[in-house]
Each structure stands twice: as structure tokens, then as C-alpha cells.
Amino acid sequence: MTITAVKGFNDILPGESQVWRLIEETAWRVFSSYGYAEIRLPIVEKTELFLRSIGETTDIVEKEMYSFADRHGDGLTLRPEGTASAVRAYIEHKLYARPVTRLFYRGPMFRYERPQKGRYRQFYQIGAEALGEAHPRMDAEAIEMLMRFFGELGLPGAVLNVNSLGCPECRPVYKERLIKFLDGVKDRLCENCRRRLGTNPLRALDCKGHGCIEATGAAPPITDALCAGCKDHFDRVRSALHERGTEAAVNHRMVRGLDYYTKTTFEITSTGLGAQNAVAAGGRYDGLVADLGGPATPCFGFAVGMERLALLLNEAGIKGEAPPMSAFIALGGEAAKTGVGLVRRWREAGVPVVEVLGDGGLKSGMKKADRLGAAYAIILGEDELKAGVVTVKDMKTAEQRQVKWDEAAGHIK
RNA sequence: GUGGGCGUGGCUCAACGGUUAGAGCACUGGACUGUGACUCCGGGGGUUGGGGGUUCGAAUCCCCUCGCUCACCCCA
């Protein structure tokens, strides 16, 4: 048996990596323009970090983490998400000395789930976190930035949904009210949701079962149960979004799967992703920094699923641009020798050149150049050698001309 | 963890249980000795995912197993 990659761990092949690069470069440019700076975080953290941040009873912690003991017996985990690490670093390096810290990161995350379209065991996220700002305009600014990012990429059909999950003051009150309601329609709920009644009743609102959607249709919306502070915050986030020209639909059934969210949550979905239709999601987490031992610090953040984004961009026909590449064909030993220096100079000038190696002659060389997808073929044979020129052929139009060695770079850009 | 679909040259797929498992594309050589794509002719390439069973005979039928994929759960 040949060795294959581990299930759910994928190779991103050359034809695909171009769009990934486009995504990363666009993120870097857009996020930087909002004052976010890149932070590079480790892929492994102490398991306890995730237990305390994501929540011990969440699916991620209960059954999806890649946890192991290292050689000293310390419990470590391959990060299942990025926010916990960012917050850990924020506290550890006392970045709270500044009024607001805007960070972004990108890299692989790991969750032990059954792979399917848009979901893998190693998957990549680009995340952004703004730590230290409580103002509702922070929420709106971050969401606007994300929409701008999608806009610059040309992503079609992105839909923004927002909701508020309240705070430690008002969420328990709502929870009680919801449990009372769900109890009344208990017999129409699916098995899963009946169990959730006791553990996490909010999730019943998010259930995709037809019976549950109907049964919870008349459930009291959380946004009616918010305390004065949370309600005011939510209203101001929405009007701030409106001011920025960012259209948002309120979806009170949207519930996040991580425990640390408070107040604003949001999700951006798109068709074409199959069942996993969220391409980005996030929200406010005002309690997490304090929970992890730092000073009380209100925060807002989000993460983008890069495979899902790449999938959507591919469907939309958006590819990263590769610069035109040339193929250099030398005929004979003397030409090959001289060619070494010529090719080096073109490359130093920033022009990509692939050398066609082997002694197959011009015909074979041209064929290889074609198969390589070269935009230009550069031929150096005995005639050219004598005249101090190369023949440059445009592979698309079949036009060709002879140019001097020093001027060739300008003809193959 | 549960369910559905699919595994045949590098790729896309054929082959009523019956010769030596074929075709297109790709690769390679030639027609064309300094010009790719188009045309024509030739060539290489397969343990039919793996194992077992039924049969005179299995790519085909049965069982097991592995892999891929989609969906459930959940999430980016």
C-alpha cells in the first residue's frame, strides 16, 4: 500500500494555491488598513486553555479535540480555533497596556470530525480580534471590515445575519423563559432537542429538523428579553452597521457553539457550500479575558473559513493571478552554456523563466513549453548565438521576433 | 459515532457471468532533422481498491475490509 495523507488532512495543490495566496494577501491588505496587525500563534496549546475558553460541555471540547500527552506528560492540544490563543497571548504579554489591540492571524486549526464538503480535520482560518473596546461601533467596524474583505475578493452572494446572545445578566432569564416555552411543545421536538432542554436549550432554536423549526417558530425571540444594556448595544450595532452601508438581517435563531460569546454574534453565509454554509462567523466575548485571568476586557472577533472561501471563489471563477511564465529552449551545448547567464539575468529582473532541459531538439522543446503553459518561448540556437539575439515566440498568437539579449526581459513580462 | 453514493490505465468513463478488460484525453516516437496547438500512423502503461466465497469461468453475483465522497451531529 502506498502511503496517503491522513483522513481530513488535505494537500493544497499548485493549481489551487494561487487563490489561497490571493485570499491571504487581500486579508493582509484590508485588515492592515483598519489598523490590525498580524500575530503568529503556536499551533499547540495547553489543553486547559481550550477547556476554560471554549467551554467544557461544547462539542468541540467533548469530542473533537486532538489532545495528547507530551513526553513529560503535559496535556497538550492542537488548537481547534484561534481566539483562545490570541487571548492567551494578549494576557501573557500584557498587550492590554494599550487602549485597543487589533490582531489578525491565519493558519491551520484541527478538529476531529467526519470530513465532508467544506469541513476538514485540518482546516484553515483567518481570524481577527479587537481587544479592549466595548463600543458598539467596534462591532460594526469589524463586520464592515470583513464585508469589505469579501467585496475586494469579489465574493458574490454573501449574506450577513446578526443576533445578540445577551450577557450573564439577561441570558439566564431568557433561558428560563425559553425552557418554559420548549416544554410546552416538547412532543414536537426531535430527540436531540428534547435532550438539549436540560443542557443547552438555545441550540434548539438552531436545529434544522423540520419539526423543530415549526415547533420553535413561536418561541420568544432573545432580542425581546435582553437587559437594557444589551438591548441598547444591539440597537446601536445595527444602526452603526446601517451608517456604514452594511446590510444585516436579524436572525434570533442563530446561536453560536462556543460558550464565550456575549451580546453581538454574527454569521456570513453563502450558497454553494452544501450543508456547511457559513463562510465566516464571530461576535463579542466580553468575559473571556477575565475568565482566563486577565483584566476585564471587552472584545470582538471573527474567523473566516479559508477552504470554504476558496471553494466559493473557485465557483465564481475567481483565481489568483499568476505572472506570465516563459520557457527557455537552448539548442546545443554552447547555447545552453550561454543561456545560464541570460536566464539568471531575466530572473533577477523578476521575470519567471523555466528552462526546458534535455536534448530533444526544438520540436520537443516547443512541445514542452506548450505543455508547461508558457506564455512565451525563448529560443537560443546556433543562429541566435552568433547574432547575439534570442527568438521570442508568443505562444498564443504564434508571433515571433528576434530581440537582443539585453532587451529580452522587456518582451517577456 | 450513524447513514447514503462511489471505487476499472495518469484523468473521464465503457465492457448481457463467457476470447488476451476496451475507448477518449494525457504521455511517448514518427510523418515534419530549427517551431508547440490541428491532422495521420505507431508505442508504453491495469494485481478491475484489498481479502475471501459461489461458479467450468467473476470487473460483473455474495460476504468482509479499506479508501473516497455527500449528509446527520456540530461547526469556519
Side-chain angles (χ1 to χ4, degrees):
Chain A
M1 266 308 267
T2 51
I3 298 172
T4 60
V6 177
K7 182 204 284 284
F9 289 65
N10 299 313
D11 302 307
I12 297 160
L13 300 173
E16 243 175 317
S17 61
Q18 208 68 34
V19 74
W20 283 69
R21 197 173 170 76
L22 175 71
I23 291 169
E24 288 172 351
E25 282 172 359
T26 305
W28 199 92
R29 193 177 70 247
V30 172
F31 294 178
S32 296
S33 79
Y34 282 76
Y36 285 70
E38 183 176 11
I39 184 168
R40 300 212 172 204
L41 298 161
I43 285 171
V44 172
E45 298 276 0
K46 291 177 184 161
T47 299
E48 191 191 356
L49 174 66
F50 301 117
L51 301 184
R52 284 173 53 189
S53 58
I54 296 168
E56 304 211 14
T57 61
T58 57
D59 277 31
I60 292 177
V61 168
E62 278 185 347
K63 51 186 197 189
E64 296 176 359
M65 293 207 302
Y66 277 92
S67 296
F68 58 96
D70 73 3
R71 288 177 183 278
H72 291 288
D74 294 337
L76 304 182
T77 294
L78 262 45
R79 63 180 183 192
E81 60 112 36
T83 300
S85 296
V87 169
R88 192 224 80 231
Y90 176 80
I91 296 168
E92 186 169 342
H93 303 289
K94 301 184 171 57
L95 301 181
Y96 44 76
R98 295 162 157 273
V100 192
T101 301
R102 288 174 166 88
L103 303 172
F104 74 93
Y105 57 84
R106 53 106 197 263
M109 308 293 164
F110 305 85
R111 292 182 200 170
Y112 191 90
E113 303 180 88
R114 269 300 260 284
Q116 69 186 70
K117 186 172 186 179
R119 188 172 69 193
Y120 313 98
R121 289 184 174 176
Q122 174 174 329
F123 61 102
Y124 291 79
Q125 288 188 335
I126 295 181
E129 317 285 350
L131 306 104
E133 180 55 75
H135 202 284
R137 293 169 78 175
M138 181 69 250
D139 309 29
E141 185 201 74
I143 293 172
E144 181 211 80
M145 177 175 86
L146 180 56
M147 294 304 273
R148 168 84 146 283
F149 167 59
F150 288 145
E152 297 232 349
L153 282 170
L155 177 73
V159 175
L160 169 64
N161 278 272
V162 297
N163 193 21
S164 175
L165 294 183
C167 63
E169 292 283 304
C170 53
R171 199 189 309 179
V173 179
Y174 174 70
K175 238 177 183 171
E176 282 306 311
R177 208 190 287 184
L178 182 63
I179 289 171
K180 229 171 254 172
F181 171 85
L182 291 175
D183 217 38
V185 295
K186 204 171 169 182
D187 47 327
R188 290 160 67 195
L189 297 176
C190 70
E191 203 181 313
N192 249 317
C193 287
R194 275 200 289 263
R195 195 179 25 131
R196 282 170 179 148
L197 253 173
T199 57
N200 193 350
L202 293 189
R203 294 229 65 90
L205 295 174
D206 206 23
C207 186
K208 285 162 197 138
H210 291 293
C212 297
I213 290 174
E214 274 177 40
T216 58
I222 189 168
T223 44
D224 286 0
L226 297 175
C227 64
C230 287
K231 184 169 171 24
D232 179 60
H233 186 91
F234 191 50
D235 290 343
R236 291 170 73 183
V237 168
R238 283 193 295 154
S239 64
L241 281 170
H242 187 71
E243 276 169 24
R244 288 164 186 269
T246 304
E247 290 311 312
V250 175
N251 179 357
H252 62 258
R253 309 177 77 95
M254 189 183 65
V255 177
R256 306 269 77 232
L258 290 75
D259 279 359
Y260 54 63
Y261 284 117
T262 58
K263 294 185 177 168
T264 317
T265 59
F266 76 97
E267 193 171 88
I268 293 167
T269 58
S270 179
T271 51
L273 283 174
Q276 313 304 322
N277 64 352
V279 65
R284 185 160 275 287
Y285 48 99
D286 289 345
L288 183 57
V289 175
D291 287 348
L292 291 176
T297 307
C299 304
F300 189 92
F302 63 78
V304 180
M306 289 181 71
E307 308 45 24
R308 293 181 186 182
L309 184 53
L311 214 62
L312 292 168
L313 293 175
N314 275 338
E315 277 174 22
I318 297 164
K319 311 209 180 296
E321 277 178 37
M325 189 191 73
S326 297
F328 176 72
I329 304 163
L331 302 171
E334 206 51 44
K337 218 160 148 189
T338 306
V340 171
L342 295 178
V343 168
R344 180 191 296 153
R345 271 193 279 160
W346 296 330
R347 288 176 178 155
E348 283 167 357
V351 181
V353 182
V354 168
E355 295 176 66
V356 174
L357 307 173
D359 306 314
L362 183 57
K363 183 180 184 59
S364 151
M366 287 300 293
K367 193 162 185 166
K368 283 178 182 165
D370 185 41
R371 293 280 173 243
L372 285 167
Y376 303 97
I378 309 167
I379 303 157
L380 181 66
E382 281 178 34
D383 300 345
E384 287 89 348
L385 203 55
K386 272 184 214 148
V389 298
V390 288
T391 297
V392 175
K393 178 166 188 175
D394 185 318
M395 297 298 278
K396 225 174 224 149
T397 64
E399 283 174 56
Q400 67 180 46
R401 61 168 71 173
Q402 302 208 319
V403 296
K404 289 184 180 153
W405 289 345
D406 288 342
E407 295 163 10
H411 289 270
I412 55 180
K413 272 204 170 158

Short mmCIF file of all heavy atoms in Angstrom, two decimals, chain A residues 276 286 360:
data_model
loop_
_atom_site.label_atom_id
_atom_site.label_comp_id
_atom_site.label_asym_id
_atom_site.label_seq_id
_atom_site.Cartn_x
_atom_site.Cartn_y
_atom_site.Cartn_z
N GLN A 276 -22.58 22.98 4.92
CA GLN A 276 -21.77 23.85 5.77
C GLN A 276 -21.73 25.22 5.13
O GLN A 276 -20.80 25.56 4.42
CB GLN A 276 -20.35 23.28 5.92
CG GLN A 276 -20.32 21.82 6.25
CD GLN A 276 -21.09 21.48 7.51
OE1 GLN A 276 -21.08 22.25 8.46
NE2 GLN A 276 -21.78 20.37 7.50
N ASP A 286 -17.06 39.49 25.88
CA ASP A 286 -16.62 40.46 26.88
C ASP A 286 -16.09 39.83 28.15
O ASP A 286 -15.43 40.50 28.95
CB ASP A 286 -17.78 41.41 27.22
CG ASP A 286 -18.09 42.37 26.07
OD1 ASP A 286 -17.23 42.49 25.16
OD2 ASP A 286 -19.17 42.98 26.07
N GLY A 360 16.19 17.25 -26.59
CA GLY A 360 15.17 16.77 -27.52
C GLY A 360 15.03 17.56 -28.81
O GLY A 360 14.26 17.18 -29.68
#
